[in-house]
């Protein structure tokens, strides 16, 4: 089975590529090594994938020429490439060109794949808005360019299922963490700051924000179960995440307890677009996919810390600038 994974050099994409390759799929990846965070970290992910027989094409999904050189016999497409987070330094165009315009070209390409069985769009709890504590029937009310652009792209993909162009579904993920997590995200930064005795910057009020933190293996397993059950999920939106919830404060204390090192906090002014509360309601995933995350936050953060210590990646590339609480 031949599968295409966009954003394969990124955090979740690289884990998914590794897993599907392990299970015998012929995996093709695409990534443009965007500078949202250090491309050297993405190159390191690609090197790892190359050792596992996964090639990642260096290409930009916004470039129409990219598609001329791609084969037209993919059976499954997983679309993870995106401009992520709720980043004050990113422009409207960064979000809408990478998240929406790129998805338009990719769906045009997907339509030409006559053997395509299913297109999986990887969406986010951010589409729900300030509070993401709902089942999939809730009317989305995104509050950031990220959330709005991801919702628009999700609906573009689902419209293809609605008008029978190809089968598709959307998987909405919740605060994913673990080895290779994006360096702008909570546990990456906490671990980095704790180990290196660096201050940790926090947007005002975010200590009280609540998240459904979900370990990376529980996410790739959920995506894999969606693949195995693709015939049941055409046109569906499915939340994938851990139902247990923790505040940012609890996350900070957990890292301090595991490393045995106190973290100095620096308060920045509050930032618009941050979600207050996310909690994955996963009854639908349990019903359709038999989905059940198994990793506790304590274990997952320990695995991430072990990876961080063993990997000692480019420390300049990992250096945090400001706390990112978005997906
Ligand atoms: N990490 C989370 O907690 C989380 C939660 C919910 C949803 N998601 C979704 O999961 C997906 C992957 O997120 P991630 O955290 O792994 O982010 P990531 O930034 O590590 O991965 C995204 C990859 O897409 C690539 N990319 C961006 N624009 C591209 C373009 N125009 N052409 C080709 N490649 C491009 C980037 O270079 C990057 O490697 C995203 O769609 C994101 O919205 C992530």
């Amino acid at each position: 089975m031949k599968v295409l994974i966009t954003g394969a050099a990124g955090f979740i994409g690289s884990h998914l590529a590794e897993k599907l390759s392990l299970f015998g799929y012929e995996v093709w990846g695409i990534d443009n090594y965007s500078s949202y965070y250090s491309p050297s970290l993405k190159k390191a992910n690609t090197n790892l994938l190359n050792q596992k027989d996964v090639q990642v094409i260096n290409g930009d999904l916004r470039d129409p020429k990219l598609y001329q050189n791609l084969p037209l016999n993919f059976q499954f497409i997983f679309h993870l490439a995106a401009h992520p987070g709720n980043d004050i330094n990113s422009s409207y165009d960064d979000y809408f060109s990478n998240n929406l315009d790129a998805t338009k070209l990719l769906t045009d390409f997907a339509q030409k794949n006559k053997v395509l069985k299913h297109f999986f769009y990887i969406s986010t709890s951010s589409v729900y808005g300030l509070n993401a504590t709902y089942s999939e029937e809730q009317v989305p009310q995104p509050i950031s360019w990220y959330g709005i652009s991801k919702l628009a792209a999700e609906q573009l993909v689902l419209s293809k299922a609605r008008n029978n162009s190809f089968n598709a579904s959307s998987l909405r993920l919740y605060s994913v963490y673990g080895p290779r997590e994006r360096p702008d995200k909570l546990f990456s930064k906490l671990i980095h700051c704790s180990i290196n005795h660096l201050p940790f910057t926090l947007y005002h009020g975010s200590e009280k924000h609540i998240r459904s933190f979900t370990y990376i293996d529980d996410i790739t397993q959920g995506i894999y179960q969606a693949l195995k059950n693709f015939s049941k999920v055409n046109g569906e939106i499915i939340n994938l995440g851990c139902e247990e919830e923790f505040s940012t404060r609890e996350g900070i204390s957990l890292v301090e307890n595991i490393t045995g090192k106190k973290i100095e906090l620096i308060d920045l002014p509050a930032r618009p677009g941050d979600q207050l509360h996310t909690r994955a309601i996963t009854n639908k995933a349990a019903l359709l996919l038999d989905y059940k995350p198994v990793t506790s936050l304590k274990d997952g953060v320990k695995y991430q810390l072990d990876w961080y210590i063993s990997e000692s990646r480019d420390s300049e590339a990992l250096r945090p600038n400001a706390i990112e609480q978005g997906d």
Side-chain angles (χ1 to χ4, degrees), residues 289-304:
L289 312 177
D290 199 19
Y291 177 64
K292 188 164 180 24
V294 293
T295 315
S296 70
L297 185 63
K298 192 173 172 189
D299 284 348
V301 170
K302 277 189 188 155
Y303 301 147
Q304 186 166 348

Side-chain angles (χ1 to χ4, degrees), residues 82-102:
H83 195 81
N86 172 32
D87 177 31
I88 46 176
N89 298 314
S90 296
S91 67
Y92 174 92
D93 189 57
D94 288 333
Y95 281 106
F96 283 83
S97 71
N98 287 297
N99 298 355
L100 186 56
D101 300 349

Side-chain angles (χ1 to χ4, degrees), residues 6-13 30-37 42 45 59-62 79-84 97-99 102 121-125 146 150 171-177 180-182 185 326-327:
T6 71
F11 164 44
I12 304 172
I30 295 179
D31 206 292
N32 72 345
Y33 301 93
S34 93
S35 57
Y36 176 79
Y37 63 87
K42 300 174 185 182
N45 293 340
D60 193 315
L61 293 168
R62 296 168 295 181
H79 182 29
L80 288 88
H83 195 81
S97 71
N98 287 297
N99 298 355
Y121 180 71
I122 301 303
S123 187
T124 164
S125 67
Y146 172 62
K150 290 289 290 183
L171 307 175
R172 291 181 178 165
L173 314 186
Y174 287 69
S175 299
V176 191
Y177 71 98
R180 314 207 286 266
E181 186 185 18
R182 293 200 326 259
K185 294 201 70 217
D327 283 346

